[in-house]
Amino acid sequence: MSHDKEFYGTFIAVMAGLAVLAVVLVFTAISLTSDVSDYKPEEIVIENIKPVGGVYIAGESELEAAASEAAAAGTTASPDAVMTADAGEAAAPKSGEQIYNSNCLVCHGAGVAGAPKLGDIAAWAPRIAAGMDSLLANATNGLNAMPPKGLCMSCSGEELQAVVEYMVSKSQ
Ligand code: HEC
């Protein structure tokens, strides 16, 4: 009878120990796998198959470059990876409207310092009559209170032409 009691005590102790061990293992497993949500297999694959030297085309991001190189090498780049590539870096020319709003509106919106207002047909008519070449030359070089390039120093000739065309199209 005392033998049974002894067995029973040992049995309970072993079972309790195993239960504690199971709980510890569960928590260990959870803590080891907690970063599973930011596991991005596509990016890891692209990073791993990336050639040592890369050719960057202007405006192309690192990930796009890797993806297009992978495509050229016959492997299919994951569309997800290409989608997540930062397309904002592409130096696409700005539209006339964008440039107008960020550079020219400040004067041409309200007619500051005698600037012909956008949409003021009478003010624009004689200027438009002088022709696009004249408008573009005056916009580029400045005219009286109109500063050269309308202060858009980063604007290319094409961008300046696009914004002048935009202003003309809204004012005739
Ligand atoms: C600091 C104010 C100011 C800003 C900014 C400005 N303009 Fe002007 N703009 C003027 C004034 C003033 C005139 C009228 C000049 C005159 O006829 O004496 C003018 C005239 C013009 C004309 C008519 C030129 C002509 O041949 O009659 C064009 C085109 C023009 N601006 C384009 C632009 C563009 C494009 C921008 C933005 C990139 C811009 N302007 C920004 C003040 C400004």
Side-chain angles (χ1 to χ4, degrees):
M1 214 43 186
S2 78
H3 193 73
D4 277 358
K5 257 191 181 154
E6 199 180 305
F7 167 77
Y8 192 69
T10 314
F11 182 75
I12 292 291
V14 168
M15 287 315 251
L18 285 175
V20 168
L21 184 66
V23 169
V24 168
L25 287 176
V26 164
F27 280 103
T28 310
I30 288 172
S31 76
L32 286 177
T33 55
S34 64
D35 57 351
V36 81
S37 62
D38 44 47
Y39 170 65
K40 298 204 180 72
E42 304 97 318
E43 281 173 25
I44 295 169
V45 167
I46 289 193
E47 185 61 28
N48 286 347
I49 62 174
K50 192 169 85 169
V52 178
V55 178
Y56 280 38
I57 298 167
E60 195 179 41
S61 75
E62 195 181 339
L63 205 54
E64 282 170 316
S68 57
E69 271 158 28
T75 47
T76 39
S78 147
D80 281 352
V82 176
M83 291 292 286
T84 53
D86 183 8
E89 284 174 13
K94 288 194 198 141
S95 79
E97 187 173 357
Q98 284 174 316
I99 298 171
Y100 172 78
N101 288 332
S102 52
N103 293 280
C104 323
L105 174 84
V106 61
C107 291
H108 286 273
V112 171
K117 278 203 232 177
L118 191 81
D120 184 339
I121 295 170
W124 279 97
R127 301 173 190 272
I128 292 170
M132 180 49 85
D133 286 352
S134 160
L135 288 176
L136 201 55
N138 289 338
T140 308
N141 304 321
L143 176 69
N144 303 317
M146 163 73 197
K149 289 182 135 190
L151 296 180
C152 181
M153 294 312 165
S154 62
C155 281
S156 68
E158 277 155 38
E159 286 173 324
L160 220 53
Q161 180 166 355
V163 63
V164 172
E165 278 166 1
Y166 167 78
M167 289 165 81
V168 166
S169 75
K170 293 277 175 190
S171 312
Q172 59 186 359

